[in-house]
Amino acid sequence: MASRRGGVSLPERPHNNTPSDGILSRVSSKISESPILYQGKQAASDAGFVAKKLLRSTGKAAWIAGTTFLILVVPLIIEMDREQQFNELELQQASLLGAPPK
């Protein structure tokens, strides 16, 4: 009995392992049904899930740290730079006027 696919007649394939099957197909079917392989796939899936969660939470933490730095630390750095420039300007003016530096 033949099945029809796209107008081409294909012979029926047996679903059980018979002596006519090659050794490669028997070995690959045994490997694909292996509980060790199933556990390995499950462990890889779990590791991927944990890695995804870790990256997402790390990204959120980096966002919080970055925005906090921009809001709190950058204005402080700018103000300290202005203060340093002001002090340098005062020293320059004092030296031009002949007053001894402090």
XYZ file of all heavy atoms in Angstrom:
773
model
N 0.845 -1.172 0.000
C 0.000 0.000 0.000
C 0.890 1.235 0.000
O 1.868 1.321 0.714
C -0.875 -0.027 1.245
C -1.806 1.124 1.325
S -2.989 0.704 2.585
C -4.077 2.020 2.384
N 0.543 2.225 -0.785
C 1.358 3.429 -0.925
C 0.544 4.635 -0.491
O -0.667 4.658 -0.630
C 1.804 3.578 -2.370
N 1.244 5.626 0.050
C 0.580 6.866 0.452
C 0.877 7.927 -0.588
O 1.892 7.883 -1.272
C 1.057 7.303 1.837
O 2.437 7.557 1.786
N 0.001 8.904 -0.697
C 0.153 9.979 -1.689
C 0.656 11.247 -1.025
O 0.110 11.703 -0.040
C -1.199 10.271 -2.348
C -1.657 9.198 -3.265
C -1.076 9.496 -4.581
N -1.501 8.523 -5.555
C -1.060 8.539 -6.764
N -0.230 9.452 -7.142
N -1.453 7.647 -7.622
N 1.722 11.817 -1.569
C 2.247 13.104 -1.128
C 2.640 13.873 -2.366
O 3.572 13.494 -3.054
C 3.492 12.942 -0.264
C 3.199 12.748 1.152
C 4.471 12.920 1.951
N 4.241 12.410 3.269
C 5.166 12.132 4.134
N 6.424 12.300 3.811
N 4.876 11.691 5.311
N 1.965 14.938 -2.610
C 2.312 15.788 -3.731
C 2.317 15.062 -5.063
O 3.114 15.369 -5.932
N 1.487 14.048 -5.213
C 1.388 13.337 -6.466
C 2.434 12.253 -6.651
O 2.470 11.605 -7.680
N 3.293 12.012 -5.654
C 4.325 10.989 -5.773
C 3.941 9.831 -4.878
O 3.566 10.012 -3.734
C 5.706 11.560 -5.360
C 6.764 10.478 -5.402
C 6.082 12.719 -6.242
N 4.057 8.643 -5.386
C 3.708 7.452 -4.621
C 4.921 6.993 -3.828
O 5.991 6.781 -4.394
C 3.248 6.359 -5.582
O 3.004 5.184 -4.869
N 4.766 6.893 -2.505
C 5.854 6.467 -1.638
C 5.500 5.148 -0.981
O 4.352 4.934 -0.581
C 6.121 7.509 -0.550
C 6.560 8.890 -1.031
C 6.616 9.853 0.134
C 7.901 8.798 -1.710
N 6.429 4.261 -0.830
C 6.132 2.996 -0.156
C 5.971 3.226 1.342
O 6.515 4.171 1.895
C 7.349 2.125 -0.456
C 8.451 3.097 -0.719
C 7.789 4.309 -1.331
N 5.221 2.367 1.978
C 5.038 2.434 3.432
C 6.348 2.097 4.124
O 7.078 1.216 3.691
C 3.958 1.444 3.886
C 2.552 1.885 3.550
C 2.094 3.037 4.404
O 2.433 3.080 5.598
O 1.403 3.905 3.862
N 6.642 2.807 5.215
C 7.847 2.519 5.995
C 7.431 1.810 7.271
O 6.511 2.248 7.950
C 8.568 3.801 6.352
C 9.117 4.493 5.123
C 9.927 5.659 5.496
N 11.159 5.138 6.104
C 12.135 5.898 6.553
N 12.026 7.198 6.481
N 13.214 5.382 7.067
N 8.091 0.774 7.640
C 7.749 0.099 8.900
C 8.162 0.982 10.076
O 9.162 1.685 10.015
C 8.574 -1.188 8.860
C 9.679 -0.914 7.893
C 9.147 0.100 6.910
N 7.343 0.932 11.142
C 7.609 1.770 12.312
C 8.419 1.047 13.377
O 8.886 1.652 14.309
C 6.297 2.269 12.914
C 5.571 3.198 11.989
N 6.028 4.455 11.690
C 4.433 3.032 11.275
C 5.195 5.046 10.848
N 4.220 4.194 10.575
N 8.561 -0.244 13.253
C 9.358 -0.977 14.242
C 10.698 -1.342 13.622
O 10.862 -1.364 12.412
C 8.607 -2.221 14.730
C 8.199 -3.108 13.565
O 8.457 -2.782 12.409
N 7.554 -4.215 13.866
N 11.652 -1.627 14.480
C 12.979 -1.988 13.986
C 12.964 -3.418 13.479
O 12.643 -4.344 14.211
C 14.023 -1.842 15.086
C 14.253 -0.389 15.458
O 14.024 0.491 14.643
N 14.690 -0.156 16.673
N 13.310 -3.561 12.265
C 13.382 -4.886 11.662
C 14.815 -5.138 11.247
O 15.609 -4.197 11.153
C 12.451 -4.977 10.431
O 12.892 -4.024 9.468
C 11.006 -4.719 10.799
N 15.162 -6.360 10.996
C 16.539 -6.635 10.580
C 16.942 -5.903 9.303
O 18.113 -5.706 9.050
C 16.556 -8.142 10.369
C 15.435 -8.666 11.178
C 14.408 -7.580 11.211
N 15.958 -5.452 8.495
C 16.313 -4.748 7.266
C 16.751 -3.311 7.541
O 17.362 -2.685 6.681
C 15.128 -4.757 6.294
O 14.069 -4.000 6.841
N 16.436 -2.778 8.736
C 16.901 -1.426 9.095
C 18.416 -1.452 9.274
O 18.981 -2.430 9.750
C 16.260 -0.945 10.399
C 14.831 -0.501 10.204
O 14.425 -0.308 9.045
O 14.132 -0.332 11.222
N 19.044 -0.346 8.938
C 20.490 -0.254 9.098
C 20.858 -0.062 10.549
O 20.044 0.342 11.390
N 22.105 -0.354 10.853
C 22.576 -0.214 12.233
C 22.578 1.251 12.660
O 22.313 1.575 13.813
C 23.969 -0.851 12.400
C 24.326 -0.933 13.886
C 25.022 -0.063 11.646
C 25.488 -1.821 14.186
N 22.835 2.149 11.709
C 22.851 3.570 12.021
C 21.477 4.055 12.468
O 21.354 4.800 13.435
C 23.330 4.373 10.807
C 23.554 5.852 11.019
C 24.582 6.076 12.108
C 23.990 6.518 9.735
N 20.432 3.618 11.790
C 19.081 4.044 12.185
C 18.692 3.453 13.525
O 18.014 4.098 14.326
C 18.067 3.669 11.112
O 17.965 2.264 10.999
N 19.118 2.221 13.814
C 18.803 1.626 15.114
C 19.538 2.348 16.240
O 18.966 2.628 17.291
C 19.174 0.141 15.126
C 18.145 -0.712 14.393
C 18.467 -2.142 14.540
N 19.537 -2.438 13.559
C 20.189 -3.576 13.487
N 19.944 -4.547 14.326
N 21.115 -3.757 12.580
N 20.802 2.705 16.013
C 21.572 3.403 17.039
C 21.004 4.799 17.263
O 20.846 5.249 18.404
C 23.064 3.467 16.642
C 23.826 4.422 17.545
C 23.682 2.082 16.687
N 20.678 5.500 16.177
C 20.151 6.856 16.342
C 18.793 6.845 17.035
O 18.486 7.745 17.816
C 20.048 7.565 14.993
O 19.074 6.954 14.191
N 17.963 5.835 16.784
C 16.672 5.778 17.472
C 16.869 5.471 18.960
O 16.163 6.003 19.805
C 15.756 4.744 16.829
O 16.256 3.436 17.036
N 17.849 4.626 19.284
C 18.135 4.333 20.696
C 18.651 5.591 21.405
O 18.298 5.860 22.545
C 19.173 3.206 20.823
C 18.672 1.868 20.417
C 17.733 1.331 21.441
C 17.342 -0.088 21.035
N 16.329 -0.644 21.897
N 19.503 6.354 20.722
C 20.050 7.572 21.332
C 18.961 8.609 21.523
O 18.891 9.272 22.563
C 21.208 8.127 20.472
C 22.400 7.189 20.567
C 21.593 9.527 20.912
C 23.535 7.552 19.648
N 18.084 8.767 20.531
C 17.047 9.787 20.643
C 16.023 9.453 21.714
O 15.351 10.342 22.226
C 16.352 9.992 19.296
O 15.647 8.820 18.937
N 15.894 8.195 22.082
C 14.955 7.794 23.130
C 15.640 7.655 24.489
O 15.010 7.248 25.459
C 14.303 6.458 22.750
C 13.460 6.535 21.499
C 13.030 5.163 20.999
O 13.366 4.158 21.666
O 12.395 5.110 19.954
N 16.902 8.025 24.589
C 17.685 7.849 25.801
C 17.233 8.805 26.901
O 17.027 9.993 26.669
C 19.162 8.099 25.492
O 19.903 8.160 26.678
N 17.092 8.312 28.143
C 16.742 9.215 29.253
C 17.875 10.185 29.582
O 17.639 11.284 30.061
C 16.463 8.270 30.420
C 17.088 6.976 30.054
C 17.149 6.917 28.559
N 19.116 9.800 29.303
C 20.244 10.704 29.539
C 20.149 11.903 28.617
O 20.390 13.040 29.027
C 21.580 9.958 29.355
C 21.712 8.861 30.410
C 22.756 10.917 29.422
C 22.896 7.958 30.213
N 19.788 11.665 27.365
C 19.630 12.756 26.412
C 18.495 13.677 26.855
O 18.616 14.902 26.788
C 19.355 12.209 25.012
C 19.216 13.237 23.911
C 20.540 13.934 23.681
C 18.742 12.592 22.629
N 17.399 13.104 27.322
C 16.275 13.907 27.805
C 16.707 14.775 28.984
O 16.385 15.966 29.041
C 15.110 13.004 28.209
C 13.980 13.752 28.849
C 13.103 14.506 28.080
C 13.795 13.739 30.228
C 12.067 15.220 28.664
C 12.776 14.449 30.818
C 11.913 15.175 30.031
O 10.897 15.884 30.621
N 17.448 14.199 29.918
C 17.905 14.966 31.081
C 18.885 16.063 30.663
O 18.867 17.164 31.212
C 18.556 14.043 32.107
C 17.568 13.140 32.816
C 18.246 12.148 33.742
O 19.467 12.036 33.763
N 17.444 11.421 34.512
N 19.727 15.774 29.687
C 20.653 16.783 29.179
C 19.926 17.945 28.529
O 20.265 19.110 28.738
N 18.905 17.624 27.733
C 18.107 18.684 27.100
C 17.387 19.510 28.159
O 17.296 20.730 28.053
C 17.093 18.084 26.132
C 17.689 17.585 24.851
C 16.607 17.024 23.939
C 17.165 16.505 22.644
N 16.121 15.942 21.786
N 16.867 18.849 29.180
C 16.161 19.552 30.247
C 17.116 20.458 31.015
O 16.780 21.601 31.340
C 15.500 18.544 31.200
C 14.594 19.180 32.225
C 13.376 19.832 31.603
O 12.836 19.359 30.619
N 12.945 20.936 32.169
N 18.326 19.981 31.290
C 19.314 20.791 32.004
C 19.720 22.006 31.169
O 19.855 23.116 31.694
C 20.536 19.947 32.345
N 19.890 21.806 29.862
C 20.245 22.926 28.988
C 19.118 23.947 28.936
O 19.356 25.160 28.941
C 20.566 22.412 27.591
N 17.893 23.473 28.896
C 16.747 24.371 28.884
C 16.668 25.171 30.185
O 16.433 26.382 30.157
C 15.466 23.572 28.682
O 14.341 24.397 28.796
N 16.873 24.494 31.307
C 16.861 25.181 32.606
C 17.987 26.203 32.705
O 17.788 27.315 33.212
C 16.974 24.171 33.750
C 15.743 23.284 33.881
O 14.700 23.637 33.284
O 15.830 22.238 34.553
N 19.165 25.855 32.202
C 20.300 26.780 32.240
C 20.015 28.007 31.372
O 20.336 29.134 31.751
C 21.569 26.078 31.769
N 19.402 27.800 30.229
C 19.039 28.924 29.367
C 18.025 29.838 30.029
O 18.128 31.065 29.937
N 17.057 29.259 30.716
C 16.038 30.042 31.416
C 16.671 30.887 32.518
O 16.385 32.081 32.648
C 14.985 29.100 32.000
C 13.919 29.798 32.794
C 12.914 30.504 32.156
C 13.923 29.762 34.176
C 11.930 31.154 32.880
C 12.951 30.404 34.911
C 11.953 31.103 34.252
N 17.567 30.274 33.295
C 18.239 30.998 34.381
C 19.118 32.112 33.814
O 19.142 33.229 34.346
C 19.058 30.025 35.251
C 19.970 30.759 36.208
C 18.131 29.095 36.023
N 19.833 31.819 32.728
C 20.696 32.835 32.118
C 19.869 34.009 31.606
O 20.269 35.174 31.756
C 21.499 32.219 30.984
N 18.722 33.730 31.021
C 17.857 34.797 30.517
C 17.358 35.668 31.668
O 17.376 36.904 31.579
C 16.682 34.188 29.764
C 15.760 35.191 29.143
C 14.633 34.509 28.386
C 13.653 35.505 27.844
N 12.541 34.865 27.142
N 16.926 35.046 32.747
C 16.469 35.800 33.920
C 17.605 36.628 34.516
O 17.411 37.783 34.904
C 15.918 34.854 34.996
C 14.583 34.276 34.676
C 13.517 35.309 34.842
C 12.147 34.672 34.816
N 11.096 35.641 34.953
N 18.800 36.049 34.593
C 19.952 36.747 35.156
C 20.324 37.954 34.305
O 20.576 39.041 34.833
C 21.134 35.792 35.272
C 22.423 36.367 35.861
C 22.187 36.766 37.311
C 23.531 35.349 35.778
N 20.325 37.786 32.983
C 20.650 38.906 32.101
C 19.612 40.009 32.204
O 19.946 41.197 32.188
C 20.767 38.422 30.657
C 22.043 37.673 30.315
C 21.972 37.127 28.896
C 23.243 38.564 30.468
N 18.345 39.613 32.302
C 17.291 40.619 32.411
C 17.429 41.410 33.712
O 17.348 42.645 33.714
C 15.919 39.952 32.338
C 14.788 40.964 32.384
C 13.461 40.330 32.108
N 13.407 40.030 30.681
C 12.582 39.168 30.139
N 11.756 38.493 30.892
N 12.561 38.974 28.850
N 17.659 40.726 34.828
C 17.789 41.434 36.105
C 19.078 42.251 36.145
O 19.109 43.334 36.724
C 17.731 40.453 37.274
O 18.825 39.567 37.238
N 20.140 41.754 35.524
C 21.388 42.506 35.457
C 21.196 43.771 34.629
O 21.710 44.838 34.977
C 22.504 41.640 34.852
O 22.643 40.469 35.650
C 23.818 42.377 34.810
N 20.451 43.661 33.554
C 20.166 44.834 32.727
C 19.376 45.882 33.485
O 19.648 47.079 33.366
N 18.400 45.426 34.258
C 17.613 46.370 35.058
C 18.497 47.056 36.105
O 18.388 48.270 36.320
C 16.460 45.648 35.751
C 15.346 45.254 34.811
C 14.239 44.532 35.557
C 13.145 44.099 34.609
N 12.080 43.370 35.310
N 19.363 46.286 36.748
C 20.260 46.869 37.752
C 21.221 47.864 37.107
O 21.497 48.925 37.675
C 21.038 45.760 38.461
N 21.714 47.544 35.915
C 22.616 48.470 35.220
C 21.891 49.753 34.843
O 22.458 50.845 34.929
C 23.197 47.796 33.974
N 20.640 49.640 34.434
C 19.849 50.829 34.101
C 19.670 51.720 35.329
O 19.849 52.933 35.266
C 18.495 50.422 33.535
C 17.584 51.579 33.322
C 16.543 51.960 34.107
C 17.639 52.540 32.248
N 15.946 53.079 33.598
C 16.599 53.456 32.447
C 18.467 52.695 31.152
C 16.374 54.518 31.589
C 18.238 53.751 30.286
C 17.197 54.657 30.515
N 19.326 51.122 36.458
C 19.130 51.876 37.695
C 20.437 52.548 38.116
O 20.457 53.734 38.461
C 18.590 50.959 38.808
C 17.151 50.536 38.473
C 18.646 51.640 40.164
C 16.609 49.445 39.363
N 21.546 51.807 38.082
C 22.834 52.381 38.478
C 23.243 53.511 37.531
O 23.734 54.551 37.976
C 23.903 51.289 38.493
N 23.029 53.324 36.236
C 23.410 54.352 35.267
C 22.617 55.627 35.410
O 23.183 56.729 35.391
N 21.303 55.507 35.563
C 20.494 56.715 35.704
C 20.772 57.410 37.039
O 20.792 58.645 37.105
C 18.999 56.393 35.577
O 18.655 55.356 36.501
C 18.648 55.954 34.163
N 21.000 56.643 38.083
C 21.344 57.246 39.374
C 22.658 58.010 39.268
O 22.782 59.128 39.794
C 21.443 56.160 40.461
O 20.199 55.473 40.541
C 21.785 56.757 41.811
N 23.639 57.423 38.582
C 24.925 58.094 38.383
C 24.726 59.399 37.625
O 25.292 60.434 37.994
C 25.872 57.163 37.618
C 27.216 57.759 37.348
C 28.175 57.808 38.339
C 27.513 58.273 36.100
C 29.422 58.358 38.092
C 28.753 58.828 35.845
C 29.708 58.866 36.846
N 23.924 59.380 36.569
C 23.706 60.592 35.782
C 23.007 61.685 36.583
O 23.308 62.861 36.445
C 22.889 60.273 34.525
C 23.632 59.554 33.411
C 22.666 59.164 32.299
C 24.738 60.422 32.865
N 22.082 61.300 37.430
C 21.296 62.289 38.174
C 22.071 62.841 39.377
O 21.993 64.031 39.675
C 19.957 61.674 38.624
C 19.085 61.425 37.389
C 19.242 62.558 39.623
C 17.839 60.628 37.667
N 22.838 61.997 40.051
C 23.490 62.431 41.284
C 24.968 62.782 41.129
O 25.430 63.774 41.705
C 23.353 61.336 42.350
C 21.935 60.991 42.771
C 21.947 59.842 43.760
C 21.239 62.193 43.355
N 25.723 62.027 40.396
C 27.169 62.187 40.380
C 27.636 63.175 39.311
O 28.536 63.980 39.572
C 27.861 60.815 40.200
C 29.361 60.941 40.130
C 27.473 59.889 41.349
N 27.051 63.161 38.135
C 27.507 64.049 37.059
C 27.365 65.521 37.440
O 28.303 66.302 37.233
C 26.800 63.713 35.729
C 27.084 64.753 34.670
C 27.222 62.333 35.242
N 26.244 65.968 38.009
C 26.186 67.372 38.436
C 27.239 67.717 39.490
O 27.790 68.820 39.477
C 24.781 67.525 39.010
C 23.988 66.467 38.343
C 24.932 65.331 38.156
N 27.538 66.784 40.368
C 28.582 67.022 41.371
C 29.947 67.207 40.701
O 30.705 68.114 41.057
C 28.626 65.862 42.360
C 29.700 65.931 43.435
C 29.429 67.107 44.363
C 29.759 64.634 44.203
N 30.248 66.383 39.725
C 31.524 66.504 39.011
C 31.602 67.845 38.283
O 32.635 68.525 38.309
C 31.690 65.321 38.037
C 31.877 64.025 38.817
C 32.863 65.549 37.087
C 31.834 62.777 37.966
N 30.510 68.255 37.654
C 30.493 69.538 36.938
C 30.713 70.694 37.908
O 31.480 71.619 37.636
C 29.166 69.699 36.153
C 29.111 68.682 35.018
C 29.010 71.110 35.620
C 27.764 68.603 34.326
N 30.063 70.653 39.049
C 30.218 71.716 40.040
C 31.634 71.763 40.605
O 32.192 72.846 40.816
C 29.197 71.542 41.165
C 29.151 72.688 42.136
C 28.812 74.027 41.469
O 28.019 74.051 40.521
O 29.378 75.045 41.921
N 32.231 70.616 40.844
C 33.608 70.591 41.345
C 34.569 71.161 40.300
O 35.520 71.870 40.650
C 34.000 69.156 41.706
C 33.320 68.642 42.971
S 33.608 66.903 43.295
C 35.354 66.859 43.500
N 34.325 70.885 39.035
C 35.161 71.440 37.968
C 35.028 72.955 37.908
O 36.028 73.670 37.745
C 34.782 70.801 36.633
C 35.727 71.203 35.526
O 36.949 71.118 35.717
O 35.217 71.614 34.452
N 33.805 73.451 38.036
C 33.597 74.905 38.052
C 34.343 75.553 39.218
O 34.964 76.606 39.077
C 32.110 75.237 38.163
C 31.344 75.086 36.894
C 29.920 75.526 37.108
N 29.116 75.246 35.928
C 27.807 75.201 35.914
N 27.129 75.414 37.037
N 27.155 74.946 34.812
N 34.262 74.941 40.384
C 34.943 75.468 41.568
C 36.453 75.502 41.356
O 37.118 76.476 41.716
C 34.593 74.609 42.787
C 35.168 75.101 44.092
C 34.515 76.386 44.574
O 33.343 76.626 44.215
O 35.178 77.139 45.307
N 36.998 74.448 40.755
C 38.430 74.411 40.496
C 38.830 75.505 39.503
O 39.841 76.177 39.693
C 38.825 73.041 39.955
C 40.310 72.897 39.700
C 40.661 71.546 39.105
O 39.776 70.753 38.787
N 41.948 71.293 38.958
N 38.029 75.691 38.460
C 38.322 76.754 37.493
C 38.249 78.135 38.150
O 39.065 79.012 37.874
C 37.358 76.684 36.311
C 37.612 75.539 35.374
C 36.589 75.484 34.248
O 35.641 76.272 34.214
N 36.787 74.554 33.335
N 37.281 78.331 39.038
C 37.151 79.607 39.746
C 38.373 79.859 40.621
O 38.903 80.967 40.658
C 35.860 79.615 40.573
C 35.639 80.890 41.323
C 35.265 82.044 40.650
C 35.805 80.942 42.697
C 35.059 83.229 41.346
C 35.614 82.113 43.395
C 35.235 83.269 42.719
N 38.834 78.826 41.336
C 40.024 78.975 42.185
C 41.267 79.301 41.359
O 42.093 80.131 41.749
C 40.262 77.716 43.015
C 39.244 77.568 44.126
O 38.606 78.547 44.532
N 39.077 76.343 44.603
N 41.405 78.652 40.205
C 42.544 78.938 39.332
C 42.481 80.377 38.812
O 43.505 81.055 38.701
C 42.581 77.950 38.169
C 43.003 76.544 38.562
C 42.895 75.561 37.413
O 42.504 75.964 36.295
O 43.210 74.381 37.639
N 41.276 80.831 38.482
C 41.113 82.207 38.006
C 41.489 83.201 39.107
O 42.158 84.198 38.839
C 39.682 82.442 37.537
C 39.350 83.816 36.977
C 40.163 84.069 35.711
C 37.871 83.953 36.715
N 41.082 82.944 40.345
C 41.447 83.819 41.465
C 42.955 83.874 41.661
O 43.535 84.945 41.874
C 40.776 83.340 42.756
C 39.351 83.756 42.898
C 38.787 83.352 44.260
O 39.354 82.441 44.908
O 37.788 83.954 44.658
N 43.634 82.713 41.579
C 45.091 82.689 41.721
C 45.771 83.454 40.589
O 46.751 84.178 40.809
C 45.590 81.243 41.740
C 45.399 80.470 43.037
C 45.819 79.016 42.859
C 46.197 81.121 44.152
N 45.249 83.340 39.394
C 45.817 84.044 38.251
C 45.657 85.562 38.408
O 46.586 86.328 38.154
C 45.156 83.561 36.960
C 45.781 84.119 35.703
C 45.079 83.618 34.459
O 43.944 83.159 34.528
N 45.766 83.722 33.332
N 44.476 85.985 38.856
C 44.237 87.416 39.061
C 45.138 87.958 40.188
O 45.670 89.061 40.108
C 42.771 87.681 39.366
C 41.877 87.560 38.166
C 40.414 87.790 38.518
O 40.037 87.830 39.689
N 39.587 87.927 37.486
N 45.277 87.175 41.243
C 46.106 87.603 42.366
C 47.572 87.742 41.942
O 48.266 88.667 42.362
C 45.974 86.621 43.518
N 48.044 86.837 41.109
C 49.433 86.923 40.659
C 49.640 88.107 39.717
O 50.698 88.715 39.709
C 49.863 85.623 39.999
O 49.199 85.447 38.769
N 48.621 88.450 38.933
C 48.723 89.581 38.040
C 48.731 90.907 38.832
O 49.388 91.857 38.447
C 47.575 89.607 37.028
C 47.650 88.573 35.901
C 46.398 88.644 35.047
C 48.883 88.797 35.049
N 48.001 90.950 39.920
C 47.926 92.170 40.724
C 49.102 92.292 41.693
O 49.265 93.309 42.363
C 46.604 92.199 41.508
C 45.340 92.317 40.651
C 44.098 92.205 41.531
C 45.335 93.616 39.890
N 49.879 91.249 41.799
C 51.079 91.315 42.642
C 50.864 90.870 44.067
O 51.756 90.979 44.874
N 49.711 90.393 44.411
C 49.476 89.927 45.772
C 50.121 88.535 45.909
O 50.118 87.744 44.975
C 47.989 89.832 46.049
N 50.660 88.232 47.083
C 51.267 86.905 47.266
C 50.163 85.828 47.243
O 49.071 86.036 47.742
C 51.920 87.007 48.645
C 51.234 88.127 49.329
C 50.756 89.062 48.257
N 50.485 84.680 46.652
C 49.465 83.590 46.624
C 49.187 83.063 48.021
O 50.055 83.110 48.896
C 50.102 82.529 45.739
C 51.552 82.856 45.693
C 51.701 84.322 46.002
N 48.035 82.622 48.224
C 47.603 82.113 49.536
C 48.193 80.767 49.839
O 48.359 79.901 49.131
C 46.074 82.033 49.600
C 45.418 83.344 49.483
C 43.925 83.167 49.542
C 43.205 84.465 49.286
N 41.789 84.325 49.310
